[in-house]
Amino acid sequence: MSERDGGGAGGHGAYLKDRRSKLDPAALGFGVARRRTPGLRREEVTQRANIRPTWYTWLEQVRGGAPSAEVLDRIARALMLTEVEREHLFLLGLGRPPEARFHKSESVTPRLQRVLNARGMAMLLFDLLTAEEEADRENVFDIALLSEWLAAVLHWTRDEEELAGLPVGHFGASTGAAAGLMVAARPDAGIFAVISRGGRPDLAGERLSRIAVPVLLIVGDSDPAVLKLNEDAFVFLKGPKRLKVIPGVFEEPGALEDLAAGAIRWFEDYSPVRTVGSI
């Protein structure tokens, strides 16, 4: 099979054409008159991705050399690809998966720790997968597995003398946020509020409509695909809820601490225990 047929190293061309054919032009603000084929036109994809039309045309036709990771990332956002689809695009175009979007927190920053202490709050920071489990990318998107591990952590806290009886709020990112929502939907979860940062609440599926506790969805405007997924999931939440869109990206210096300070206020508003101090 030749590269132009969509197999081997050039399979990204056929994949891009297929993915843009799935998008609704009207929903993305484009006119629908005089269209011979479904989905977005090439020039509309390039407009959303902020790349040259000629370069994108060559990319679909598997001409002009291998694309850069930055270009693939822009196209992935323009085509509103999921994380799994984005990874597939990178494997087709570059022969490797993309760099991880978020890096593990090695420690709680001193500023964030001061904010927590001032409010009379504690933080339990943990990973839902071991390094070996995370190496299998399917585990990262196995929300059922992640939610079971989270439920196990919550069960452990109830048996710890220093933690037993304390109200629990869940703050999660990426697929960890979806796991938190899945667990919060359980009647006996014991979670009083949930915050999702740049998360994938859509992966909680039909469980979203079962969640009664307050949910705050925080998402950056630099990733339209994830923003759209959050907007769609937001509709299905039945309890107190808020969708907060943040300009820029979370990795900017000081952004995470500022975001956390605001998120703490969400927990304070709904915590069954009154906190002390001020931010």
Side-chain angles (χ1 to χ4, degrees):
M1 180 179 290
S2 71
E3 289 187 356
R4 300 275 178 110
D5 290 327
H12 62 271
Y15 187 67
L16 289 172
K17 185 175 181 179
D18 175 73
R19 297 320 301 168
R20 68 179 172 87
S21 72
K22 308 294 187 192
L23 295 179
D24 181 359
L28 298 174
F30 296 106
V32 295
R34 297 180 181 177
R35 289 183 180 268
R36 294 179 295 177
T37 57
L40 295 186
R41 298 184 176 113
R42 286 173 178 166
E43 60 267 25
E44 291 167 344
V45 175
T46 62
Q47 180 180 333
R48 286 173 54 80
N50 194 26
I51 59 177
R52 289 185 300 154
T54 301
W55 172 233
Y56 181 79
T57 298
W58 287 355
L59 196 59
E60 278 200 5
Q61 295 175 349
V62 196
R63 300 164 53 196
S68 69
E70 180 184 357
V71 166
L72 287 185
D73 249 336
R74 291 186 182 186
I75 293 172
R77 288 194 294 269
L79 295 176
M80 304 182 70
L81 301 186
T82 65
E83 283 294 329
V84 173
E85 292 168 340
R86 172 175 172 263
E87 180 171 311
H88 185 61
L89 175 61
F90 269 71
L91 289 172
L92 290 175
L94 297 178
R96 63 169 177 80
E99 298 289 336
R101 285 178 182 259
F102 301 107
H103 302 284
K104 293 182 179 179
S105 299
E106 299 298 334
S107 62
V108 177
T109 64
R111 181 183 175 193
L112 179 54
Q113 189 65 63
R114 288 195 298 271
V115 171
L116 290 167
N117 292 341
R119 307 307 295 176
M121 295 184 181
M123 173 182 283
L124 179 62
L125 187 66
F126 56 92
D127 294 317
L128 290 173
L129 295 173
T130 65
E132 291 76 16
E133 290 171 329
E134 194 172 15
D136 183 346
R137 294 292 295 174
E138 289 188 3
N139 287 333
V140 177
F141 293 93
D142 189 339
I143 307 305
L145 172 65
L146 298 179
S147 61
E148 287 306 314
W149 280 124
L150 177 58
V153 172
L154 293 175
H155 181 77
W156 172 82
T157 63
R158 298 185 186 111
D159 292 335
E160 289 294 305
E161 182 177 352
E162 291 183 296
L163 302 176
L166 292 179
V168 176
H170 177 73
F171 189 127
S174 192
T175 52
L181 291 167
M182 288 276 284
V183 174
R186 303 179 184 182
D188 60 346
I191 296 177
F192 72 85
V194 177
I195 296 175
S196 165
R197 174 185 69 85
R200 290 291 307 277
D202 58 296
L203 295 178
E206 52 89 20
R207 295 287 184 90
L208 290 171
S209 61
R210 303 184 193 178
I211 300 172
V213 300
V215 176
L216 171 63
L217 304 180
I218 305 174
V219 61
D221 65 359
S222 61
D223 195 334
V226 175
L227 175 57
K228 180 64 164 58
L229 292 170
N230 276 257
E231 290 173 338
D232 291 344
F234 185 76
V235 175
F236 293 98
L237 294 170
K238 303 302 182 184
K241 60 185 180 179
R242 182 184 177 192
L243 174 62
K244 185 174 183 179
V245 181
I246 304 294
V249 296
F250 297 118
E251 287 79 6
E252 293 176 354
L256 189 56
E257 289 87 346
D258 292 338
L259 176 63
I264 286 171
R265 296 190 182 94
W266 181 262
F267 285 144
E268 287 184 321
D269 288 343
Y270 294 100
S271 173
V273 176
R274 184 176 180 83
T275 56
V276 297
S278 59
I279 296 178

